[in-house]
Amino acid sequence: MRTMDIEFNKNEDQMKLLMDKVNNRLKKIHEGGGAKSAAKQKEKGKLLARERVAYLIDKDSEFYEIGAFAAEDMYQEYGGCPAAGVVTGIGKVSGRTCMIVANDATVKAGAWFPMAGKKNLRAQEIAMENRLPIIYLVDSAGVFLPMQDEIFPDKEHFGRIFRNNAIMSSMGILQISAIMGSCVAGGAYLPIMSDEAMIVDKTGSIFLAGSYLVKAAIGEDIDNETLGGATTHCEISGVTDYKFPDDKSCLDRIRSIMDKVGKHEEAGFDRAKPVAPQKNPEDIMGIMPVDRSKPYDTLEIIERLVDDSSFEQYKELYGQTILCGYARIDGWAVGIVANNRKIVKSKKGEMQFGGVIYSDSADKAARFVMNCNQKKIPLVFLQDVTGFMVGSRSEHGGIIKDGAKMVNAVANSVVPKFTIIMGNSYGAGNYAMCGKAYDPRFIVSWPTGQMAVMGGSQAAKTLLQIQTANLKAKGEVIDADKEKALLDEITARYDAQTTPYYAASRLWVDAIIDPRSTRSWISMGIEAANHAPLTRDYNVGVIQT
């Protein structure tokens, strides 16, 4: 490790502080609705949502949680909604890679807030893209009624989940549901549209309308257990397939079912025996500056992510503000497209700014993406991009045309793509480097990630000009002190919206990860993607040359 470098040590200390902040916020999120709500669940003999997931997955295996920060700092008028009231992620069950969705009944009785719907749809999207079995651990009071207009009727709202149940069934994707608590109203369709449905006696219940609503609607007096408990649905209605006395025995049956599932057809991505990087991955913490304006050598990062620290560069001396090349990560063959943060000299002898996409680098990256599709090699994008180069020289040189070529190549890519936001992710650079809108199988951020249309200082000055012009048009006098106060206010508001937490709370990224776990996340992602054979050929359509 580079322990004698003062700048390295400073970066390392700052990065570790950022990771401590991430972990402390995660610890709070993992408490769900709090100790009082957790105690009520325990009194009923129930495991908590995260306990269910931990019991279900294979021992000594890792659970890659998706959307842990979803809804953070949102819905404060209702007391908040940690993790959007549902735990989702990838884990191995009896050796099979699965998507797991577990309602957290400690958070508003597991009710569905708008972000809960979005998070569930993201989980289903991942399962469909990668043809992963999906396991639902159901314990939900249904739609959160005060916000029903934001989750009920639209295309990407609650009903889309059941549509996806049907689509996944037609695709041959296994779905297993365990009713471990409430399952009411429209939510009752989810487990029954699954391939196998099981229910826990006395704590699980499923019905279109509970006893109070039945009384109000048709005047019938009946208790919830008789209306829709385990005995009713396993012995009378036949709605559920299995009945279990407690959570653990129910989860054991899921493991038993998964143990007997046949092997899937694979995509055939190449994997060799994994080799650890020669250069220590711990060094990433000191190489990556927390100050987003500082340059660094992105190659130093790559060499600590890839097997044997071996990276075979493509067009090494051309378009140097983007690094492209072939490598292996945990044995998997990958093509890497990374923004180079060094200040470099172009072939014409001109200095080029690190993190900016120039015409030559866009042209190089587009060609490389096409090559990886031709070879059926998954793509990894390492983002630290401030955008495309602007100015008359770039415009006259056709930067828009070359940028469009890169966007076209990425948009039409058929091999799985994985995006790591290491630092800046600004403007059209976010798009060209496979931002969320370009369907990466997984997209995660380091704690140093920043996502916005442009950098904070530029944006704040632009917004200040607009706001002061509006105020002056109304006859207000703007002196230097008021202008500074306005700038500070705008900057603070804008900067708050560029943090990885803001992005993760809205599911613009799937997770905020420790940079040292990047290899593991990419390997998990490719292993999951290998479940889904490619179904179409690569075709970029019309490209301006």
Side-chain angles (χ1 to χ4, degrees), residues 459-515:
K461 289 173 183 175
T462 302
L463 291 168
L464 176 65
Q465 290 174 5
I466 295 169
Q467 194 161 333
T468 53
N470 288 337
L471 292 172
K472 288 177 180 177
K474 295 176 183 177
E476 292 192 33
V477 177
I478 308 296
D479 59 21
D481 288 340
K482 186 163 187 178
E483 186 171 294
K484 183 181 182 303
L486 276 172
L487 180 61
D488 290 344
E489 178 188 341
I490 292 168
T491 300
R493 184 172 67 246
Y494 192 88
D495 286 347
Q497 294 175 354
T498 67
T499 69
Y501 299 104
Y502 193 89
S505 71
R506 288 151 181 81
L507 288 177
W508 300 344
V509 295
D510 293 316
I512 303 171
I513 68 169
D514 188 316

Side-chain angles (χ1 to χ4, degrees), residues 15-31 65 68-69 72 285 447 501 512-517 521:
M15 183 69 87
K16 287 183 175 178
L17 284 173
L18 288 180
M19 276 312 306
D20 285 342
K21 182 179 179 182
V22 171
N23 291 328
N24 287 335
R25 291 174 83 152
L26 280 174
K27 185 178 178 181
K28 179 67 176 175
I29 288 167
H30 289 178
E31 293 173 0
E65 186 167 357
F69 286 97
E72 191 189 30
M285 306 295 275
Y501 299 104
I512 303 171
I513 68 169
D514 188 316
R516 295 165 293 189
S517 68
W521 269 86

Side-chain angles (χ1 to χ4, degrees), residues 197-464:
M198 49 199 71
I199 188 168
V200 178
D201 196 20
K202 304 300 186 237
T203 56
S205 59
I206 177 169
F207 32 66
L208 295 181
S211 56
Y212 291 119
L213 186 53
V214 167
K215 174 67 174 176
I218 63 173
E220 180 182 3
D221 282 309
I222 189 169
D223 62 88
N224 282 338
E225 183 64 25
T226 305
L227 181 66
T231 297
T232 294
H233 287 310
C234 282
E235 300 180 21
I236 300 173
S237 72
V239 165
T240 52
D241 305 317
Y242 312 97
K243 178 171 72 171
F244 298 96
D246 53 40
D247 282 5
K248 288 186 176 181
S249 59
C250 182
L251 296 168
D252 286 337
R253 178 59 64 88
I254 296 175
R255 293 180 55 79
S256 177
I257 291 170
M258 291 306 305
D259 182 55
K260 298 171 181 63
V261 173
K263 291 192 175 181
H264 56 83
E265 182 185 357
E266 294 187 342
F269 303 124
D270 186 71
R271 191 179 198 185
K273 183 178 179 180
V275 178
Q278 284 191 29
K279 297 186 177 181
N280 194 341
E282 290 284 335
D283 291 349
I284 294 173
M285 306 295 275
I287 295 169
M288 185 73 180
V290 172
D291 184 344
R292 299 300 340 113
S293 65
K294 289 186 176 181
Y296 61 92
D297 189 349
T298 306
L299 184 60
E300 290 283 312
I301 300 283
I302 293 172
E303 289 175 339
R304 286 157 177 83
L305 294 177
V306 301
D307 289 14
D308 202 35
S309 298
S310 176
F311 180 58
E312 302 166 6
Q313 284 207 54
Y314 172 80
K315 292 184 182 288
E316 181 176 355
L317 302 178
Y318 178 73
Q320 294 180 67
T321 63
I322 287 184
L323 300 177
C324 298
Y326 302 102
R328 290 188 182 274
I329 292 180
D330 197 31
W332 294 104
V334 296
I336 295 176
V337 181
N339 300 114
N340 190 8
R341 283 303 307 271
K342 285 177 67 176
I343 297 174
V344 299
K345 189 176 290 187
S346 75
K347 60 183 180 294
K348 297 178 182 178
E350 301 160 349
M351 299 307 294
Q352 293 186 339
F353 299 101
V356 179
I357 302 176
Y358 291 78
S359 282
D360 53 359
S361 49
D363 177 69
K364 169 174 129 176
R367 179 62 180 266
F368 181 72
V369 167
M370 295 178 197
N371 284 347
C372 286
N373 275 271
Q374 185 84 347
K375 298 179 177 74
K376 206 161 75 168
I377 298 174
L379 284 159
V380 174
F381 292 84
L382 303 178
Q383 281 199 18
D384 194 348
V385 58
T386 53
F388 285 87
M389 190 58 189
V390 297
S392 61
R393 179 174 295 181
S394 292
E395 297 292 359
H396 296 170
I399 186 67
I400 295 175
K401 174 187 66 178
D402 292 319
K405 185 189 303 181
M406 183 177 174
V407 168
N408 196 322
V410 172
N412 283 293
S413 179
V414 296
V415 296
K417 299 167 292 194
F418 304 92
T419 301
I420 315 296
I421 299 176
M422 304 189 306
N424 301 324
S425 180
Y426 294 156
N430 169 284
Y431 301 157
M433 290 293 295
C434 197
K436 182 66 181 288
Y438 289 77
D439 297 325
R441 296 293 177 95
F442 293 98
I443 178 169
V444 297
S445 176
W446 288 1
T448 43
Q450 294 183 341
M451 284 141 274
V453 144
M454 62 178 74
S457 61
Q458 304 98 307
K461 289 173 183 175
T462 302
L463 291 168
L464 176 65

Side-chain angles (χ1 to χ4, degrees), residues 53-54 56-65 89-93 96-98 100 330 513-514 516-524 527:
V53 172
L56 176 64
I57 64 173
D58 297 346
K59 302 309 174 217
D60 301 321
S61 68
E62 189 165 355
F63 180 64
Y64 294 87
E65 186 167 357
I90 304 288
K92 287 190 179 292
V93 180
R96 270 71 171 180
T97 302
C98 299
I100 301 169
D330 197 31
I513 68 169
D514 188 316
R516 295 165 293 189
S517 68
T518 304
R519 272 173 58 85
S520 176
W521 269 86
I522 294 170
S523 178
M524 176 278 294
E527 183 177 359

